[in-house]
């Protein structure tokens, strides 16, 4: 098992760096020490992003389900099932075009003003107009019928809209404007007390929150270099520290390691079409992965456990599908490491090593192609290297390269790259597999098209209930004869565990299976954290 050496020689410098960061934050934060971190205050590090500001749901904040300043019409429980939150219920018209939500009448924003249906309508129309990552292109209009009733009219059937209402936080019309994202007013359990961008964010309870009241009076979220954060934790200065897999086996006095399961997966797209050019003259397709035998051989022949061990220090669970562990997953029972079966499959398809160099050929083409991992994400590059090494036993030569993320995305339709996904909204399957999404941004990077899968996806979107939609999302993956699970447009490898050192006695509550989002999803239930002793 690979483990990283402790860097005691630089530990003192890192602790000093933390002290300087805290000192630079001014005010009471300069005095944050282990002694002052008592049981009604926490100091945590959860990775990059939470100290950058921009906490505006209308431009994408919290859309992965990890917002703490706002609440939504619905919310996902631990089983990733939607249940009431701001709304006590909703109905869908028979034609699937009208969604009507009835609101609680006792909710106030953190400034004490009451929430009304006008705020909900304002939020959705503002988010739609923003053109941000919040996809509301299917929304024709949102209207408040009275103080507690809001009606959404869609321009097409889109069952995934209900999932969006469980992820999009509501903003107040009366307090929304320039600068809102750095000083948000919401109906969630916390509000911003102080933001020093890229240094720290201090949050305190929203006294008007209608749900579970936070147990802590103040929580300071720091932005630190990961090694500095780990060093600070060892000195007793932090209560929660997110670490990447290479540090997960460190020993931290007074803290325990929490490994939280995720659907934060990593895998490579496998273009299903041969090399050609698109309408803009860009090279797309891949003459090796376009062969079904190659895609299947890689999926059944590699050893995911070994790859995870070599690339991620063993921190993760093998992934066989895009949405493992989510309610709409339908990946057939699967076993990898079937090397001899994979070799026979390749040989039967004509891929033979005729020159003894360890790489198969077919019709003058070597079973060889580039794969990429992004330069700013060591985990993805490590996965590319580990996959390359493991695939050699099959006679397939994968050439791992580190590229800038922009280049990875630009070339991915011909050079497979390492993707990360994991979303509480099944619309992710539409973006990845629907044929009409080919060439739309980075959607469907494998150029995958299966009319039967398209039909199931269209029926899923036309459904008038989440349960009905889930049935069709499952069929799109495997209906007993075909589907994305057996066409192999992707080679999924791992759902990466999210790893945190947690102060002994501190409970993180019941954590939902984490979506994509690195360390941040751990605070989705920050109001449920407690000290048990």
């Amino acid at each position: 098992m690979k483990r990283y050496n402790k860097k005691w020689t630089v530990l003192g410098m890192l602790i000093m760096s933390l002290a300087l960061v805290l000192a630079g934050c001014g005010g009471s934060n300069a005095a944050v020490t282990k002694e002052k971190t008592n049981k009604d205050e926490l100091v945590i590090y959860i990775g990059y992003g939470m100290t950058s500001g921009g906490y505006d749901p209308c431009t994408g904040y919290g859309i992965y389900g990890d917002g703490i300043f706002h609440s939504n019409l619905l919310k996902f429980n631990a089983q990733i099932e939607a249940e009431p939150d701001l709304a006590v219920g909703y109905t869908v018209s028979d034609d699937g075009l009208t969604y009507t939500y009835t609101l609680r009448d006792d909710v106030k924003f953190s400034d004490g003003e009451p929430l009304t249906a006008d705020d909900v309508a304002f939020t959705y129309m503002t988010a739609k107009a923003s053109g941000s990552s919040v996809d509301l292109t299917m929304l024709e209009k949102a209207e408040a019928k009275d103080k507690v009733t809001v009606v959404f009219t869609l321009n097409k059937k889109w069952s995934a809209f209900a999932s969006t209402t469980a992820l999009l936080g509501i903003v107040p019309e009366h307090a929304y404007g320039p600068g809102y994202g750095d000083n948000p007013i919401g109906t969630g359990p916390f509000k911003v007390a102080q933001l020093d961008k890229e240094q720290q964010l201090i949050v305190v309870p929203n006294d008007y929150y209608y749900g579970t009241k936070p147990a802590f009076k103040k929580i300071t979220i720091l932005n630190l270099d990961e090694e500095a954060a780990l060093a600070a934790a060892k000195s007793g200065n932090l209560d929660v520290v997110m670490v990447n897999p290479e540090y997960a086996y460190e020993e931290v006095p007074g803290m325990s390691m929490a490994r939280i399961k995720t659907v934060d997966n990593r895998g490579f797209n496998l273009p299903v079409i041969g090399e050609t050019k698109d309408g803009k003259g860009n090279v797309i397709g891949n003459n090796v992965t376009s062969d079904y035998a190659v895609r299947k051989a890689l999926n059944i022949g590699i050893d995911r456990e070994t790859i995870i061990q070599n690339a991620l220090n063993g921190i993760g669970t093998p992934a066989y599908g895009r949405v493992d562990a989510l309610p709409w997953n339908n990946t057939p029972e699967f076993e990898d490491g079937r090397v001899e079966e994979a070799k026979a499959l390749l040989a039967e398809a004509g891929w033979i090593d005729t020159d003894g160099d360890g790489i198969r050929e077919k019709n003058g083409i070597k079973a060889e192609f580039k794969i990429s991992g992004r330069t700013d994400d060591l985990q993805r590059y490590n996965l590319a290297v580990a996959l390359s090494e493991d695939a050699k036993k099959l006679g397939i030569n994968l050439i791992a390269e580190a590229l800038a993320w922009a280049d990875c995305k630009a070339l991915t339709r011909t050079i497979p790259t390492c993707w990360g996904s994991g979303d509480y909204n099944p619309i992710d399957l539409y973006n990845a597999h629907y044929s009409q999404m080919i060439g739309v941004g980075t959607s469907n990077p494998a150029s995958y098209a299966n009319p039967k899968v398209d039909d199931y996806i269209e029926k899923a979107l036309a459904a008038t209930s989440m349960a009905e939609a889930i049935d069709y999302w499952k069929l799109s993956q495997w209906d007993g004869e075909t589907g994305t699970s057996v066409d192999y447009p992707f080679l999924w490898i791992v759902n990466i565990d999210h790893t945190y050192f947690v102060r002994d006695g501190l409970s993180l509550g019941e954590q939902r299976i984490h979506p994509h989002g690195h360390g941040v999803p751990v605070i989705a239930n920050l109001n449920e954290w407690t000290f048990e002793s």
Side-chain angles (χ1 to χ4, degrees):
M1 181 177 293
K2 181 173 65 177
R3 295 187 62 172
Y4 281 66
N5 294 327
K6 297 175 180 178
K7 301 179 179 179
W8 295 109
T9 55
V10 298
L11 183 58
M13 294 180 62
L14 296 172
I15 294 173
M16 290 179 63
S17 297
L18 172 62
L20 289 171
V21 168
L22 293 172
C25 297
S28 61
N29 309 304
V32 174
T33 65
K34 177 181 178 182
E35 290 71 23
K36 288 194 175 182
T37 304
N38 54 42
K39 290 184 179 180
D40 59 10
E41 296 183 9
L42 295 176
V43 183
I44 65 176
Y45 165 76
I46 54 170
Y48 177 79
M50 274 305 291
T51 62
S52 300
Y55 314 112
D56 181 357
C58 296
T59 57
Y61 169 70
I63 200 63
Y64 276 104
D66 51 19
I68 59 174
F69 305 119
H70 307 83
S71 42
N72 324 308
L73 295 176
L74 307 178
K75 63 181 178 182
F76 286 112
N77 60 23
Q79 290 70 47
I80 317 302
E81 298 166 337
E83 59 183 30
D85 194 358
L86 290 175
V88 296
Y90 73 101
T91 60
V92 184
S93 63
D94 291 341
D95 63 6
L97 296 177
T98 304
Y99 286 66
T100 302
Y101 287 73
T102 303
L103 307 180
R104 299 169 60 125
D105 60 3
D106 61 346
V107 177
K108 292 182 178 180
F109 288 99
S110 56
D111 63 357
E113 292 295 317
L115 168 90
T116 70
D118 284 321
D119 295 304
V120 177
F122 172 80
T123 297
Y124 275 77
M125 296 312 292
T126 301
K128 175 181 173 63
S130 75
S132 69
S133 58
V134 184
D135 180 15
L136 288 172
T137 53
M138 80 301 298
L139 179 63
E140 182 69 28
K141 60 182 178 181
E143 298 177 292
K145 292 300 183 184
D146 54 44
K147 288 187 177 180
V148 296
T149 307
V150 61
V151 178
F152 300 97
T153 303
L154 309 189
N155 53 36
K156 58 183 174 182
K157 296 178 179 179
W158 200 262
S159 66
F161 179 75
S163 296
T164 299
T165 66
L167 296 167
L168 179 59
I170 303 302
V171 303
E173 183 175 12
H174 68 272
Y176 190 84
Y180 173 83
D182 292 342
N183 187 26
I185 292 171
T187 56
F190 290 93
K191 60 183 181 181
V192 173
Q194 182 176 332
L195 171 63
D196 301 297
K197 284 192 175 181
E198 312 305 345
Q199 294 186 66
Q200 68 169 355
L201 166 68
I202 298 175
V203 302
V204 297
N206 168 15
D207 294 334
Y208 296 100
Y209 182 55
Y210 53 92
T212 302
K213 304 292 186 184
F216 299 97
K217 294 180 179 177
K218 184 175 81 172
I219 299 171
T220 302
I221 303 172
L222 296 176
N223 180 33
L224 296 168
D225 173 85
E226 187 177 343
E227 289 191 346
L230 181 61
K234 290 180 176 179
S235 299
N237 285 304
L238 296 178
D239 297 294
V240 174
V241 181
M242 187 281 290
V243 293
N244 283 318
E246 55 264 41
Y247 298 109
Y249 296 104
E250 293 280 341
E251 296 291 334
V252 180
M255 305 187 86
S256 301
M257 169 53 58
R259 287 178 57 166
I260 299 175
K261 294 301 179 184
T262 80
V263 288
D264 191 0
N265 58 13
R266 298 290 184 276
F268 295 79
N269 61 300
L270 298 176
V272 302
I273 61 173
E275 187 173 309
T276 183
K277 289 187 177 181
D278 65 12
K280 298 178 181 178
N282 300 313
V283 175
I284 59 173
N286 185 299
N287 289 335
V288 179
T289 62
S290 59
D291 191 317
Y292 174 78
V294 172
R295 300 198 307 275
K296 182 175 181 179
L298 283 168
N299 268 276
I300 69 172
I302 64 169
D303 182 342
R304 288 168 174 79
E305 291 277 9
T306 296
I307 293 171
I308 294 168
Q309 189 63 52
N310 291 336
L312 301 172
N313 216 9
I315 304 297
T317 303
Y320 303 109
R322 188 179 181 93
V323 292
D324 289 355
L326 289 172
W328 42 90
N329 176 55
N330 191 28
T331 302
E333 188 172 350
F334 191 92
E335 179 182 353
D336 65 4
R338 292 140 58 187
V339 176
E340 295 308 316
E341 182 181 341
K343 287 181 175 178
L345 176 66
L346 289 166
E348 185 178 356
W351 292 96
I352 309 292
D353 178 13
T354 59
D355 57 10
D357 67 351
I359 305 173
R360 299 173 184 270
E361 308 97 34
K362 178 181 178 180
N363 300 330
I365 299 174
K366 281 189 172 295
E368 177 180 86
F369 58 93
K370 294 179 180 179
I371 59 174
S372 69
R374 51 193 292 182
T375 52
D376 60 348
D377 188 332
L378 184 60
Q379 293 177 8
R380 298 196 195 197
Y381 178 64
N382 284 348
L383 279 168
V385 173
L387 171 62
S388 172
E389 188 64 29
D390 198 75
K392 289 179 180 177
K393 64 192 178 190
L394 305 178
I396 300 174
N397 187 33
L398 306 182
I399 304 167
E401 293 186 336
L403 299 175
W405 183 225
D407 293 332
C408 291
K409 291 188 290 186
L411 297 170
T412 190
R413 293 185 67 192
T414 184
I415 298 176
T417 196
C418 187
W419 291 96
S421 69
D423 197 325
Y424 292 154
N425 192 334
I427 200 64
D428 177 57
L429 295 173
Y430 165 87
N431 292 325
H433 302 144
Y434 191 51
S435 65
Q436 293 185 30
M437 294 304 289
I438 295 173
V440 179
T442 57
S443 297
N444 199 342
S447 301
Y448 173 71
N450 179 331
K452 200 71 178 290
V453 170
D454 280 355
D455 182 59
Y456 288 133
I457 290 174
E458 289 163 3
K459 288 177 177 174
L461 289 172
T464 55
S465 72
M466 284 192 178
E468 180 188 1
I470 285 174
D471 287 342
Y472 285 115
W473 289 123
K474 287 183 173 180
L475 288 170
S476 76
Q477 296 160 74
W478 172 239
D479 67 357
E481 294 182 356
T482 189
T484 58
S485 292
V486 293
D487 286 341
Y488 307 112
F490 286 87
L491 176 60
W492 294 110
I493 295 176
V494 60
N495 290 303
I496 300 177
D497 292 350
H498 289 174
T499 46
Y500 308 84
F501 285 108
V502 180
R503 174 76 52 213
D504 290 345
L506 177 62
S507 169
L508 302 183
E510 183 180 15
Q511 292 278 323
R512 294 178 300 189
I513 189 167
H514 282 191
H516 188 59
H518 306 281
V520 174
V522 72
I523 63 169
N525 70 336
L526 187 58
N527 58 313
E528 298 174 4
W529 292 15
T530 58
F531 258 118
E532 296 179 332
S533 59

